[in-house]
């Protein structure tokens, strides 16, 4: 695949776990990948870049800081993206909502809901008209699937992300880009814990297949890593 025909992905939040694996998956698929870390510390993404034969560019951005998002947007102004994917999630423990400190609630909501949407709004014009904009959501953001409760703040943040993407889709209803909310499944990561159902290697190839399988399908889709529709 030549430089003129190779597709380009921008993956925000790729220093470790799901984001790192997604960057590796797209490098393996022959894409040009721009992927981000926070700060200047060396990460697994830097190691991946060393073996990617020049097809992985590591950028730095803390997406909770608007000025850093704007600076990254300026650095990438000449790029055309086939995929913009925002991976972000923190959880601060399984605490009943009435006991959650205000500062903790704000941090989770800003990281998991507000900041991804700021990135989407900032970078949307770089995405090709037939491209895809995706964010990492979760089935825990589904209101209808929540029959057991727990993880109140995390659930609320992912529900907010889903709602904000719905607002975005309604605002740009004539947009030809594909919009995706992706549930990677319950994965064994620092966030998912050791008892989760899936390994990263089971989840991420499915995430990439789902993203590519919906390429060229405008509108907003809430899907899991197997391509199945997730109820709202």
């Amino acid at each position: 695949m030549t430089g003129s025909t190779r597709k380009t992905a921008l993956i925000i939040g790729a220093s470790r776990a799901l984001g790192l694996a997604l960057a590796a998956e797209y490098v393996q698929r022959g894409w040009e990948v721009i992927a981000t870390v926070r700060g200047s510390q060396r990460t697994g993404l830097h190691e991946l870049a060393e073996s990617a034969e020049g097809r992985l560019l590591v950028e730095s951005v803390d997406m909770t800081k608007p000025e850093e998002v704007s600076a990254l947007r300026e650095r990438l102004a000449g790029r055309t993206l086939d995929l913009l994917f925002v991976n972000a999630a923190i959880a601060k423990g399984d605490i009943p909502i009435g006991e959650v400190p205000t500062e903790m609630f704000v941090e989770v909501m800003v990281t998991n809901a507000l900041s991804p949407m700021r990135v989407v709004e900032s970078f949307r014009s770089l995405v090709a008209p037939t491209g895809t904009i995706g964010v990492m959501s979760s089935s825990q953001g589904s209101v209808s699937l929540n029959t057991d409760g727990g993880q109140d703040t995390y659930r609320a943040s992912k529900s907010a992300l889903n709602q904000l993407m719905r607002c975005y889709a309604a605002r740009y209803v004539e947009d030809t880009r594909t919009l995706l909310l992706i549930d990677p499944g319950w994965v064994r990561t620092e966030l998912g814990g050791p008892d989760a159902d899936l390994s990263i290697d089971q989840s991420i190839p499915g995430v990439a297949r789902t993203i590519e399988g919906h390429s060229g399908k405008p509108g907003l889709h809430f899907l899991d890593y197997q391509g199945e529709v997730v109820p709202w």
Side-chain angles (χ1 to χ4, degrees):
M1 194 176 284
T2 66
S4 61
T5 59
R6 184 178 285 137
K7 293 182 177 181
T8 300
L10 171 59
I11 301 173
I12 304 292
S15 61
R16 58 189 175 89
L18 297 180
L20 175 58
L22 191 62
E25 181 70 21
Y26 276 99
V27 167
Q28 182 179 344
R29 288 168 177 253
W31 286 48
E32 294 277 358
V33 177
I34 308 162
T36 73
V37 300
R38 286 190 302 172
S40 57
Q41 187 174 356
R42 183 176 174 82
T43 70
L45 188 65
H46 294 89
E47 296 176 6
L48 177 63
E50 291 175 354
S51 63
E53 301 178 344
R55 290 189 289 107
L56 173 57
L57 172 65
V58 179
E59 284 279 1
S60 178
V61 67
D62 182 342
M63 70 175 183
T64 67
K65 297 179 179 179
E67 67 276 12
E68 291 196 17
V69 173
S70 296
L72 178 61
R73 173 63 176 77
E74 289 182 11
R75 293 198 298 274
L76 300 182
R79 300 275 189 160
T80 298
L81 306 174
D82 298 283
L83 170 65
L84 167 63
F85 195 88
V86 186
N87 174 58
I90 60 170
K92 293 294 185 175
D94 190 2
I95 305 172
I97 193 62
E99 300 173 15
V100 174
T102 300
E103 296 78 6
M104 180 185 296
F105 185 82
V106 170
E107 181 183 5
V108 173
M109 294 296 285
V110 167
T111 302
N112 293 2
L114 176 60
S115 296
M117 294 310 303
R118 281 177 169 164
V119 170
V120 168
E121 292 277 13
S122 179
F123 286 85
R124 65 178 300 269
S125 63
L126 297 187
V127 180
T130 57
T132 297
I133 297 173
V135 297
M136 196 72 87
S137 185
S138 170
S139 60
Q140 291 199 21
S142 167
V143 174
S144 62
L145 291 180
N146 184 8
T147 58
D148 298 323
Q151 297 291 341
D152 296 10
T153 304
Y154 179 78
R155 286 182 187 271
S157 71
K158 289 301 186 179
S159 293
L161 176 64
N162 294 350
Q163 185 69 273
L164 290 171
M165 276 293 282
R166 178 74 88 178
C167 291
Y168 176 91
R171 184 179 309 117
Y172 302 110
V173 68
E174 302 298 329
D175 198 338
T176 56
R177 298 173 181 90
T178 301
L179 305 177
L180 297 176
L181 293 159
I182 296 292
D183 167 29
W186 187 20
V187 187
R188 291 189 291 276
T189 62
E190 182 179 342
L191 182 66
D195 298 326
D197 296 333
L198 303 171
S199 69
I200 291 175
D201 289 341
Q202 289 173 309
S203 169
I204 288 301
V207 168
R209 284 193 298 271
T210 296
I211 292 171
E212 293 201 33
H214 281 73
S215 177
K217 299 178 181 179
L220 179 60
H221 313 268
F222 189 8
L223 306 165
D224 69 13
Y225 73 102
Q226 296 177 307
E228 299 296 325
V229 174
V230 181
W232 290 84

